[in-house]
Amino acid sequence: MEDNAPRTEADWQRVEHEAIRLLIAALATRLGGSENGVTKMAEEQQWIKSSQEMTEIGRIILQTARDKDYEAVLDAGNRLIEPCSACHAAFPVDAQQ
C-alpha cells in the first residue's frame, strides 16, 4: 500500500476527487433510483442505514484526504466493507432487475 501513497499535491487532489465521487455515489444511493423496484428498496431500513453509513464514511475519507493523512484514508476506506456488504446481502443485484 505504501507504493500507492500520494506523494505530490496532484496525487492528493486525485485522492480528494475520488473521495468526492464516493460521497456523491453514497448520496445518490440513498435516493435509490428511477426504477420502481429500486425506489421501493430505498425505503427499507437496511438500505437507509447502509447508505447513511456509506455517506458518513465518505465524509471521513474526504476530510482525511484533505488532511493528507493516507493511513486514515485507508482505515476509513476499509470501513466501507461492512455497510456495502450488508446492503448487497440484503438487496442482491438480481433483485433489482
Side-chain angles (χ1 to χ4, degrees), residues 68-87:
K68 296 180 176 55
D69 185 343
Y70 185 62
E71 192 68 35
V73 169
L74 293 178
D75 289 344
N78 287 332
R79 290 180 48 202
L80 283 171
I81 294 168
E82 188 176 324
C84 292
S85 296
C87 194

Side-chain angles (χ1 to χ4, degrees), residues 12 15-16 24 34 36 38 47 51 56 59-61 63 67-69 77 88:
W12 279 110
V15 174
E16 185 175 334
I24 291 167
S34 59
N36 191 36
V38 180
W47 186 290
S51 64
E56 181 55 31
R59 287 183 182 132
I60 292 167
I61 292 172
Q63 186 57 56
D67 293 342
K68 296 180 176 55
D69 185 343
H88 282 279

Side-chain angles (χ1 to χ4, degrees), residues 2-88:
E2 199 58 37
D3 291 341
N4 295 326
R7 294 184 184 0
T8 66
E9 188 60 34
D11 291 343
W12 279 110
Q13 286 176 346
R14 279 191 290 281
V15 174
E16 185 175 334
H17 176 78
E18 292 304 317
I20 291 168
R21 289 181 61 192
L22 170 66
L23 192 50
I24 291 167
L27 292 166
T29 297
R30 172 59 188 98
L31 299 174
S34 59
E35 296 177 28
N36 191 36
V38 180
T39 302
K40 283 266 187 226
M41 287 188 278
E43 296 171 5
E44 301 275 339
Q45 284 304 308
Q46 181 61 51
W47 186 290
I48 293 167
K49 180 179 184 278
S50 295
S51 64
Q52 286 172 336
E53 289 174 1
M54 210 171 108
T55 300
E56 181 55 31
I57 294 167
R59 287 183 182 132
I60 292 167
I61 292 172
L62 178 57
Q63 186 57 56
T64 57
R66 288 178 173 164
D67 293 342
K68 296 180 176 55
D69 185 343
Y70 185 62
E71 192 68 35
V73 169
L74 293 178
D75 289 344
N78 287 332
R79 290 180 48 202
L80 283 171
I81 294 168
E82 188 176 324
C84 292
S85 296
C87 194
H88 282 279

